[in-house]
Amino acid sequence: MKISKEEVLYIAKLAKLKFTDEEALELTTEFEGILKHFDSLKESDYELGDTSINEELVPTELREDKVEIFEENTKLFANAKDKERGYIKIPKVIE
Amino acid sequence: MKIDQMTMEDIRSGLDTKKFTAKELVQSVYKKISEVEDQVEAYITLSEEEAYKKAEEIDTAIEQGEVLGPLAGIPIAIKDNICTEGIKTTCASKMLEDFIPPYDATVVKKLKDAGAIIIGKTNMDEFAMGSSTENSAFKVTKNPWRLDRVPGGSSGGSAAAVAAGMAFMALGSDTGGSIRQPAAFCGVVGLKPTYGLVSRYGLVAFASSLDQIGPITKSVKDCALTLDVIHGFDPKDGTTKSVKNATSYLNEIEKGIEGLRIAIPREFFPSTLDSQITNEIMESMFMLKGLGATIDEISLPITEEGLSAYYIISSAEASSNLGRFDGIKYGYRSDEYEDIEELVLNARTEGFGKETKRRIMLGTYTLTSGYYDAYYNRAQKVREKIKQQFNDIFKKYDLIISPTSPVLPFPIGEKIGNPLDMYLSDIYTISANLTGLPAISLPCGFCMEGLPIGLQIIGGPFSESKILRAAYALEQELGLGNGVAVIKEAKR
């Protein structure tokens, strides 16, 4: 599986990450090794027999979708880096 | 017996018979930490103030003759990807270096309610991605048995803390072996429960369909005691199950293994496997046979594809789960940004470490249109196939036994530059995550260099009781289960 530096940079854009040219090249080499390993998937057959899920592993019922008030607002907001008048502050989104 | 060599069991009886107080216990643990932590580096955060406060509460309760929880007074540690209210939870990442959760994870709440005392938060591979604890943004944890070796990962801090006598139990999380492999490397017991037995509420997600929280302890009994406390249905985690388990895991543990049918997959013992590992496992097999189990060699083709499927699925889920880290509501925020786009981009680029970025990239790649079918879809099919293989085996057998790791604890720095080599060392542990099955690792001996070797027992869905019974029987026969590593200066 060949992968180009451009492809790596495109994936980075999707993943919201930035890489220097040097890092992108390094990733390209690493990816080739890893993806080559993944190619073993293509060589196996996928004739599945009985795919009924194990009874015991079926998830339980979900809880009702009810809003609950989280009382600890100060604790919740304590982790935001930039705040003003009780709001989280970020750069302008709409010009 | 010195306090740092005691098991949870010993401590419970020591407190009940007033041999020592909870406060004295906590003091002795922090004293031990002051002696060896500099060399081992197992902890990211210590929570001394809270620990002493809790110890005082326990001591008062004991004095007043109150009924105590099953873990009352026991000093424990928590992996740093499990939320603890008011105590920093960093996932060993710059991204969360100052994150203080406003709530406790369900497992933490349960442990606190049972009377356990939290000593601190343990080091790990960043966001639990790694097998050596070298991917931490803060420090590299050492293996207490030999300080120039890795403790395994990603729960390396938890395993090292228990092995070095700096905690009597430590919670870990296991996505592809992250509890079992460090337990094997550090000569302690580590259990990954069945998917859904233990709540994941408050665990910072890596790969949600694979993650499971479990205990790391010195002995199998301690493991059962902890599981008794932390398991059970949680309305806050839709994947948890109520298990109709009438009695406790601890009560069942001494029932012996007469008549248990054990399978050994021959593919798990290739000629390339270190003969010391093979020999120790085989020795244990003979012991189990002597205790009344039947043992058959079977075929379980673990090919490269299981490992590939694991890395594709876990990276895909990680790329989605870690999308939440954008520097806005919490987490790292760069000093430099012009607009919102740049704020997010810089927060992620500067906040995540190398391996985390590698996995996000890998996951994003295998999920992009054009590659989705070739990778992610196929990986899901392989996962189904592996589930079937294991299902078929558990129709005939009670347990599967294998090595926990194909390698002995390796030197620090040896594999860090070669991600694929590191990934390959998870070959024996990933199946239990892909299938959701429970699996334990326990020490079964030592290699010539004095490093521990771990044996893995895998069971059918929710067969923790059986696994613990077999592990306990073997542990008693081996006479292991209370060893604390003696910290020696690293031979450089």
Side-chain angles (χ1 to χ4, degrees), chain B residues 269-386:
Chain B
F269 298 89
S271 55
T272 47
L273 184 67
D274 189 318
S275 63
Q276 298 186 94
I277 297 177
T278 310
N279 294 344
E280 290 299 334
I281 305 277
M282 289 306 155
E283 192 104 352
S284 298
M285 286 295 143
F286 284 121
M287 288 182 178
L288 289 166
K289 217 170 178 164
L291 293 166
T294 59
I295 300 195
D296 286 338
E297 202 180 89
I298 58 156
S299 171
L300 176 63
I302 47 151
T303 45
E304 303 293 306
E305 54 186 45
L307 196 71
S308 296
Y310 166 76
Y311 274 96
I312 290 167
I313 292 166
S314 62
S315 302
E317 292 185 21
S319 74
S320 160
N321 272 327
L322 272 59
R324 73 191 64 181
F325 297 104
D326 54 11
I328 290 174
K329 293 193 286 297
Y330 51 78
Y332 177 83
R333 197 187 275 196
S334 172
D335 294 333
E336 292 178 29
Y337 50 87
E338 292 293 319
D339 55 17
I340 186 81
E341 290 291 324
E342 204 174 14
L343 182 154
V344 175
L345 193 64
N346 290 356
R348 291 170 64 81
T349 301
E350 294 164 29
F352 289 139
K354 201 170 179 176
E355 179 64 22
T356 304
K357 288 187 211 172
R358 197 183 277 137
R359 305 259 187 129
I360 292 173
M361 289 288 287
L362 203 56
T364 309
Y365 178 81
T366 57
L367 288 175
T368 46
S369 59
Y371 298 116
Y372 181 89
D373 273 332
Y375 293 114
Y376 186 73
N377 239 344
R378 270 171 196 270
Q380 291 291 21
K381 284 183 178 155
V382 170
R383 184 176 189 173
E384 278 308 312
K385 202 166 102 175
I386 292 171

Side-chain angles (χ1 to χ4, degrees), chain A residues 1 7-8 15-16 18 26 30 37 41 44-46 50 56 58 60 63 75 79-81 89, chain B residues 85 100 235 240-241 304-305 308 329 331 333 346 348-349 354 358 365 371 378 385 388 462:
Chain A
M1 187 76 205
E7 237 176 327
V8 165
K16 291 197 162 54
K18 234 179 359 188
E26 195 185 352
E30 283 169 1
H37 193 86
L41 288 176
S44 48
D45 69 272
Y46 299 110
D50 171 27
E56 295 182 80
V58 177
T60 23
R63 68 180 184 272
K75 283 184 186 168
N79 288 296
K81 289 287 180 293
K89 200 171 163 187
Chain B
E85 188 180 342
I100 297 175
T240 49
K241 302 263 304 179
E304 303 293 306
E305 54 186 45
S308 296
K329 293 193 286 297
R333 197 187 275 196
N346 290 356
R348 291 170 64 81
T349 301
K354 201 170 179 176
R358 197 183 277 137
Y365 178 81
Y371 298 116
R378 270 171 196 270
K385 202 166 102 175
Q388 274 181 20
F462 300 102

Side-chain angles (χ1 to χ4, degrees), chain B residues 8-22 25 58-59 62-63 66-73:
Chain B
M8 288 161 73
E9 238 190 324
D10 302 329
I11 288 181
R12 283 295 321 123
S13 71
L15 280 167
D16 287 342
T17 54
K18 303 213 162 94
K19 270 194 193 136
F20 39 73
T21 63
L25 260 181
I58 301 281
D59 284 334
I62 291 175
E63 263 168 53
E66 287 175 30
V67 178
L68 296 168
L71 303 183

Side-chain angles (χ1 to χ4, degrees), chain B residues 92-151:
Chain B
S93 178
K94 192 174 164 183
M95 181 60 87
L96 293 171
E97 64 188 343
D98 52 9
F99 177 72
I100 297 175
Y103 68 100
D104 272 332
T106 299
V107 284
V108 170
K109 188 176 177 304
K110 285 185 170 200
L111 289 167
K112 282 183 177 175
D113 290 348
I117 300 173
I118 296 171
I119 292 294
K121 304 292 294 286
T122 56
N123 196 26
M124 55 187 279
D125 284 297
E126 184 181 9
F127 286 105
M129 298 171 188
S131 313
S132 67
T133 314
E134 292 168 286
N135 295 326
S136 162
F138 308 121
K139 52 180 69 171
V140 174
T141 301
K142 320 294 183 297
N143 190 317
W145 296 93
R146 252 193 75 166
L147 297 170
D148 60 344
R149 301 300 173 106
V150 301

